[in-house]
Amino acid sequence: MKLQRPKLHVMEFIFAKPSETSKIKGYVAVNINGQYFGKVNKEGEFYGNPNIEKYSQVISNINNDLLHHVKETAKKTGHCCFCNLELTSEDSVLNGYGETCAKHYNLPYETSESMNSEFNIGDYVKYVGKSKKIESGMVKVVKINKTTCTVLDVNGEIASVSQKMLIIV
Ligand SMILES: [Zn+2]
């Protein structure tokens, strides 16, 4: 199953893409505490309830660090930011969404094993090992496993290497 119209529950807001047949013609509809407020068009302009003004700062804050707010919301509500179902594992709460929704939206799903690692996905670290596949030097962490990391080197080569061979510089 592919979800066509993502809905995002963050704090007291629901941001949703209306269906093709919906009377709401817009890019994103905004619900606040369950009440429809208005829509945002493709140019980012808001049409709707003028009381949106008092929420504009908080919406802007959410927009600036969406993932952080998604995770904070999940910690408070215990629900998935997409499907709003109860999150059944600690890992899901830490991600802000369940594993199923992560797959639907092609999002990373970190497990507590990887979260305990001193590395984060996207970090640039120094690879000090010897590998036929990749060059030693600065690499980018693209996946974190139990004891290894999948990394990308300057030549765009990908390899799985021991975390012991990676150092933060
Ligand atoms: Zn979900």
Side-chain angles (χ1 to χ4, degrees):
M1 186 180 79
K2 261 263 184 274
L3 299 180
Q4 298 297 328
R5 294 190 291 114
K7 238 187 208 178
L8 194 61
H9 302 250
V10 196
M11 297 167 70
E12 67 264 60
F13 303 95
I14 301 172
F15 304 99
K17 194 168 182 223
S19 74
E20 299 297 322
T21 54
S22 167
K23 279 185 201 150
I24 304 160
K25 299 285 177 222
Y27 189 55
V28 181
V30 184
N31 270 266
I32 301 168
N33 294 323
Q35 193 199 340
Y36 175 68
F37 248 65
K39 66 185 183 188
V40 181
N41 69 11
K42 285 196 168 88
E43 284 71 48
E45 296 156 331
F46 179 81
Y47 296 91
N49 192 321
N51 287 333
I52 195 82
E53 285 294 324
K54 65 178 179 187
Y55 296 102
S56 63
Q57 189 55 50
V58 59
I59 291 176
S60 163
N61 290 344
I62 291 172
N63 198 29
N64 287 336
D65 196 352
L66 182 60
L67 203 54
H68 167 77
H69 287 97
V70 160
K71 288 177 179 179
E72 286 304 305
T73 305
K75 273 185 216 159
K76 275 187 208 128
T77 66
H79 289 248
C80 173
C81 69
F82 294 113
C83 65
N84 209 25
L85 289 175
E86 204 174 319
L87 295 167
T88 52
S89 79
E90 211 171 287
D91 283 348
S92 294
V93 173
L94 290 171
N95 280 282
Y97 41 78
E99 209 168 355
T100 309
C101 280
K103 277 187 196 136
H104 283 153
Y105 297 112
N106 217 1
L107 291 167
Y109 184 84
E110 295 177 77
T111 63
S112 41
E113 278 162 9
S114 58
M115 283 175 178
N116 288 334
S117 161
E118 54 185 312
F119 307 111
N120 295 304
I121 290 169
D123 278 356
Y124 285 90
V125 292
K126 194 172 181 184
Y127 171 57
V128 294
K130 285 183 171 54
S131 162
K132 279 179 199 156
K133 232 176 161 188
I134 60 162
E135 254 177 50
S136 55
M138 293 308 284
V139 292
K140 186 181 178 186
V141 177
V142 290
K143 197 177 170 205
I144 300 161
N145 306 308
K146 255 185 193 169
T147 56
T148 62
C149 280
T150 307
V151 296
L152 190 70
D153 78 356
V154 285
N155 301 320
E157 297 294 329
I158 282 183
S160 179
V161 298
S162 164
Q163 287 193 18
K164 287 181 187 152
M165 293 293 128
L166 297 172
I167 51 170
I168 296 167
V169 287

